[in-house]
Amino acid sequence: MNAMAEILRTLHGVLPVCFFGVTLLFFVVTLFHYWQIREVHLRWLRRWPLLPTGFLLLVVALGAYAALSEQPVPILRLSLYFAGGLFWLGAALVSEQVLITNCGIIDGLSRHDRYVGWGQILDYFPWQDPNGRVRGFAFLFVDARNRRRRLNLAVPPARQPAFRRVLARYLDTRFEMTVQQCYGKTLEG
C-alpha cells in the first residue's frame, strides 16, 4: 500500500509541471502562428472557450475551498495549475478568432479546413435571423481537393459595415459584370 501511495504522490507532483509545460508550449505555438498572419483587416472572437474557462473556475473554487477548510495545498502545485489554465485560455482565445486578411478568411487558427482564400469563393450571400437582421454570410467555395463547400460565417453586428466594405473590395468587384462582359454585346432598346 505504501508503494501505491508513493507512486500517486509522485504522479501528483509531476502532473502539474507537465500540464504547465504543455499549455505553455500550446500558447507559444498558437502565438507564433498568429504572428505569421499579415495584413489583417478585421478580427473578432468566434465564441468564448468554455473548457479552459471552466477549468480555471474549478482551480479557483478548489483552491478557495482548500483555504477555507484549512486543508494543506501546496501553493506551487495550485499556481502551476492556475498558470497552465491561463495559458490554455490564452491559446484558446487566440485560436478562436476569425481573421479577415488580404488573402481571405481564417475562421479559427486551428481549423485549416476553414481557411478560404478570396480566389476560391464562387459566390456569397447574407443570412438572416427570423427577425430579418443579418447574422452572417454564407460563402460557396472550392477547396484544395476541388470539392464545392460552404462556409457559414457569423459576423457580429458591430463588424458588419467594415466586413461589407472588405467584401466589396475583394469579391463584389470580381462578381459585378456588365452586360457586355457577360454576353459579349450590348443590348439595344
Side-chain angles (χ1 to χ4, degrees):
M1 196 66 158
N2 276 344
M4 182 58 101
E6 188 63 32
I7 290 172
L8 287 176
R9 190 174 304 121
T10 303
L11 188 63
H12 196 55
V14 170
L15 278 179
V17 174
C18 291
F19 177 71
F20 176 81
V22 167
T23 55
L24 176 62
L25 182 65
F26 179 46
F27 182 65
V28 168
V29 168
T30 303
L31 282 180
F32 178 74
H33 287 300
Y34 181 77
W35 287 332
Q36 285 183 327
I37 299 170
R38 302 282 180 232
E39 299 177 20
V40 176
H41 295 293
L42 288 171
R43 67 180 55 121
W44 62 85
L45 190 63
R46 187 167 16 127
R47 63 177 166 263
W48 188 264
L50 295 178
L51 199 57
T53 304
F55 178 80
L56 276 173
L57 291 175
L58 180 67
V59 167
V60 169
L62 291 176
Y65 173 75
L68 292 175
S69 64
E70 297 176 2
Q71 297 288 328
V73 176
I75 193 72
L76 178 63
R77 188 173 299 155
L78 190 65
S79 299
L80 285 172
Y81 278 127
F82 186 74
L86 286 177
F87 286 134
W88 185 14
L89 179 65
L93 285 171
V94 170
S95 66
E96 283 292 321
Q97 287 188 19
V98 175
L99 304 170
I100 310 300
T101 70
N102 277 351
C103 297
I105 300 169
I106 299 173
D107 188 19
L109 285 178
S110 60
R111 304 177 73 185
H112 295 289
D113 61 325
R114 312 250 328 177
Y115 289 19
V116 180
W118 296 121
Q120 292 176 266
I121 296 174
L122 303 172
D123 199 7
Y124 77 96
F125 56 90
W127 49 272
Q128 302 173 345
D129 64 8
N131 297 329
R133 292 183 301 236
V134 173
R135 288 298 185 197
F137 294 83
F139 295 92
L140 306 173
F141 67 99
V142 177
D143 67 5
R145 294 183 180 160
N146 225 8
R147 295 177 299 185
R148 291 183 184 266
R149 306 243 343 256
R150 177 176 170 162
L151 171 68
N152 291 330
L153 185 67
V155 180
R159 300 277 194 238
Q160 286 183 14
F163 188 66
R164 286 181 188 272
R165 286 192 296 274
V166 171
L167 291 179
R169 179 177 176 190
Y170 291 105
L171 293 180
D172 290 347
T173 56
R174 198 176 83 204
F175 295 151
E176 290 177 358
M177 300 181 89
T178 64
V179 174
Q180 186 173 7
Q181 288 173 318
C182 289
Y183 297 108
K185 60 181 178 182
T186 60
L187 296 177
E188 297 177 14

